[in-house]
Amino acid sequence: MSNQTRQIVQDSLNALLEDTAFLPELQGDAREQAFTSLGSILSTPNHVHKSFLRIALENGSVVRIPAFRVQHNNALGPYKGGIRFHESVNEEEVINLASLMTLKNALHDVPYGGGKGGIILDPRTYSVKDLHLICKKYVQYFSDIIGPDKDIPAPDVGSGEREMDWMMAEYKSIRPGQPYKGSFTGKSVVNGGSLGRREATGKGVYFTFRYMLHDFMKDQRKFLAGASNDNTFARTALKYEGRPLKLAVQGFGNVGSVAAHEAYQCQYLENKVVAVSDRNVTLFNSDGLDIPALVRFSSLHKGDLPTTDEQLQEAGVKAEIQDRSKVLYLDVDVLILAALEDQIHLDNMDKIKAGIIVEGANAPVTSEADQYLSDKGVIIVPDILANAGGVIVSYFEWMQGRETQFYTEAEVYELLYKQMKTTMDTILPAFFGDPFPLRQNCYIHSVMKLSTVLFRQGKLY
Ligand code: NAD
């Protein structure tokens, strides 16, 4: 668990310990003891599995590729979380991502625990045949600990529905005759995936921002105006109300491209996406970028944005080509972070100009930067609130596999937004009423839920 996650969980526990109306059955020494137990349960994973996948590559060499499956907590249901395929994967990172999944599922009332997987490799440097073998081996090595009621992986950075299809098929071969559809989510629709799963995270990311600045604002304007005397975040939200907004999006993959597209076609807010970026470039146009054209281009170029004037011409897009890190420092109102962790940190936090940051990626803002920006009144919509669309629709996929009944795309989005709206309506009034950043509010909510469940299960001894 990262220091940031640990610290906020501990702060939440300290606040709840003092609040004697919370779990009033626990008093005196028993209360102290229970909260100490909670601290240790939530700050450590239940299991860390590590294997070295032995792979005979197509080029004749035989390699061992390190792979992880971390199971953080399953108090609320089976472990759940993606498998990241990236060269920078490491054990600490996977543990932190697994703990964020526990908190995210608790926040949105998804009946899952938290897990995460990772394979240390750059998938772009392997052939399709090699990747197929790597996926099969991952399932073979971890087949005892995963399964529809134990631990349900999904895609993450570097993996997608192709990998989930391969993995589910391998699980089915290893466990013939047993239920297998729910063993992986994020599968292709023909293999039992849910309509709308691929778009769910990006849509949810944009929804959280739009809901706060439009729907919530519309109904709660008076409350916000009242709160704005003492609450800097309420002042920030009011500052952006009804104004044309400039957005920048870091990362143009599964999450970033969909979030950018949602902004591009949004009819509720007057906003334009003036910049997008990926691992190679930032593209900037102060009049707004043609996002559908960029989505088309990237789908034909292994997910990459245009990097040269010729490629911009091929895409039919007008933009300035800038360094990839430039996206972070532009003079925009809203910055959506949808690439990797630790993008805003001690060394660059003072260059950020956006007043609202939405965390599509997990943990893209370090604790120092989080504190610094929050103190300045920047609203940071945290990962566990903003990027839960994927796991919420994964849950619908898992249910559809069980019920052998399928929802239309419109039904999936309706259910997704209903769930996210419920969470937002629980969290936002407290956020604009309290002096705490949104992340702290979300964590308190998650920790309350997990604490109550663990207490009722008799686990706090
Ligand atoms: P992806 O692999 O589809 O896309 C990642 C994007 O980030 C690509 O455009 C890539 O070029 C870009 N990128 C990589 N390194 C970069 C760098 N150094 N600077 C700028 N851009 C860079 O991944 P994704 O599925 O879109 O996931 C993005 C983030 O969202 C990750 O943190 C992931 O954990 C998180 N997330 C994803 C989902 C999901 O359903 N896909 C759900 C929850 C959270």
Side-chain angles (χ1 to χ4, degrees):
M1 193 180 238
S2 74
N3 289 339
Q4 181 188 28
T5 315
R6 181 174 290 111
Q7 188 58 51
I8 309 180
V9 166
Q10 196 51 55
D11 290 347
S12 306
L13 286 172
N14 293 345
L16 292 172
L17 175 64
E18 295 304 313
D19 176 4
T20 43
F22 176 67
L23 293 181
E25 303 92 326
L26 285 168
Q27 294 295 336
D29 288 351
R31 190 170 180 84
E32 294 279 344
Q33 174 67 29
F35 275 80
T36 306
S37 296
L38 278 167
S40 69
I41 292 172
L42 296 180
S43 64
T44 40
N46 286 352
H47 307 285
V48 177
H49 304 278
K50 179 173 183 182
S51 294
F52 292 87
L53 313 179
R54 189 161 183 270
I55 313 283
L57 297 175
E58 225 183 337
N59 67 15
S61 60
V62 180
V63 292
R64 297 208 70 151
I65 301 179
F68 301 94
R69 187 71 195 164
V70 172
Q71 298 175 320
H72 177 257
N73 189 279
N74 62 351
L76 299 179
Y79 302 105
K80 183 91 189 83
I83 306 175
R84 182 168 290 195
F85 287 45
H86 198 273
E87 61 276 20
S88 70
V89 162
N90 61 75
E91 187 171 319
E92 264 311 297
E93 176 189 72
V94 187
I95 292 174
N96 188 44
L97 292 170
S99 64
L100 289 177
M101 287 304 296
T102 302
L103 295 163
K104 191 184 301 181
N105 289 330
L107 176 64
H108 293 275
D109 281 330
V110 181
Y112 288 137
K116 200 81 184 182
I119 308 183
I120 307 180
L121 86 175
D122 175 359
R124 303 166 73 95
T125 62
Y126 289 86
S127 70
V128 171
K129 212 169 161 192
D130 290 341
L131 285 172
H132 184 200
L133 193 56
I134 291 165
C135 287
K136 286 185 5 168
K137 285 277 174 164
Y138 186 92
V139 179
Q140 288 166 20
Y141 278 60
F142 294 119
S143 68
D144 283 347
I145 56 149
I146 59 179
D149 292 308
K150 281 190 206 165
D151 184 350
I152 308 147
D156 193 72
V157 175
S159 58
E161 57 186 37
R162 179 183 67 174
E163 288 72 19
M164 296 306 110
D165 285 356
W166 286 337
M167 287 186 168
M168 181 200 70
E170 185 62 14
Y171 183 84
K172 183 177 177 227
S173 306
I174 294 172
R175 308 219 173 276
Q178 291 187 25
Y180 63 91
K181 288 258 170 174
S183 55
F184 289 83
T185 61
K187 307 180 291 291
S188 66
V189 172
V190 284
N191 267 315
S194 177
L195 289 166
R197 167 64 183 86
R198 202 191 71 77
E199 296 82 2
T201 305
K203 277 183 177 279
V205 166
Y206 186 73
F207 177 80
T208 52
F209 154 70
R210 186 205 94 191
Y211 190 78
M212 182 172 70
L213 240 62
H214 178 263
D215 312 58
F216 185 78
M217 183 71 86
K218 205 168 55 158
D219 294 342
Q220 304 287 341
R221 206 194 171 283
K222 258 198 185 150
F223 160 68
L224 274 167
S228 67
N229 291 330
D230 333 293
N231 186 302
T232 52
F233 302 117
R235 283 200 288 282
T236 303
L238 287 168
K239 184 175 122 189
Y240 291 115
E241 187 200 5
R243 261 182 43 186
L245 301 172
K246 286 184 284 178
L247 271 69
V249 182
Q250 186 198 36
F252 204 70
N254 196 0
V255 180
S257 68
V258 174
H261 195 263
E262 286 291 294
Y264 178 85
Q265 61 178 20
C266 178
Q267 292 163 4
Y268 300 91
L269 292 170
E270 198 186 328
N271 55 196
K272 60 183 171 198
V273 183
V274 297
V276 295
S277 78
D278 70 358
R279 63 197 181 92
N280 301 311
V281 285
T282 292
L283 299 178
F284 175 76
N285 182 337
S286 59
D287 295 328
L289 290 162
D290 183 347
I291 301 299
L294 289 171
V295 169
R296 265 192 307 277
F297 180 92
S298 73
S299 69
L300 298 172
H301 293 80
K302 292 187 166 180
D304 287 340
L305 290 166
T307 53
T308 61
D309 289 335
E310 292 71 38
Q311 288 194 333
L312 278 174
Q313 212 164 12
E314 180 193 333
V317 170
K318 286 202 180 87
E320 272 171 46
I321 297 172
Q322 302 185 356
D323 183 79
R324 77 170 183 200
S325 64
K326 280 282 164 59
V327 71
L328 300 173
Y329 314 128
L330 294 167
D331 189 6
V332 292
D333 305 301
V334 184
L335 178 59
I336 297 180
L337 299 171
L340 296 171
E341 285 89 338
D342 299 341
Q343 295 303 298
I344 304 183
H345 43 74
L346 196 60
D347 298 332
N348 67 2
M349 60 194 188
D350 57 343
K351 294 197 230 161
I352 306 299
K353 300 196 181 77
I356 299 179
I357 295 174
V358 188
E359 294 187 338
N362 290 307
V365 179
T366 67
S367 54
E368 296 87 357
D370 193 38
Q371 183 75 51
Y372 172 83
L373 293 166
S374 299
D375 287 349
K376 284 177 43 174
V378 174
I379 296 178
I380 303 179
V381 184
D383 42 16
I384 64 167
L385 179 61
N387 72 21
V391 73
I392 293 172
V393 175
S394 278
Y395 172 59
F396 301 154
E397 177 177 339
W398 183 75
M399 287 205 308
Q400 291 171 79
R402 293 197 156 208
E403 295 166 359
T404 54
Q405 176 199 325
F406 288 90
Y407 306 156
T408 64
E409 199 167 345
E411 284 168 335
V412 169
Y413 295 144
E414 197 185 321
L415 286 167
L416 168 66
Y417 292 146
K418 193 170 158 208
Q419 185 57 55
M420 293 198 84
K421 177 181 176 325
T422 304
T423 310
M424 297 289 283
D425 285 341
T426 310
I427 296 295
L428 288 181
F431 167 55
F432 288 119
D434 286 344
F436 305 122
L438 193 45
R439 194 185 312 276
Q440 180 76 64
N441 272 283
C442 292
Y443 272 51
I444 289 201
H445 188 84
S446 300
V447 170
M448 270 172 82
K449 166 120 194 207
L450 287 159
S451 306
T452 308
V453 168
L454 285 162
F455 173 64
R456 304 252 177 268
Q457 289 181 2
K459 296 277 170 70
L460 303 185
Y461 41 85

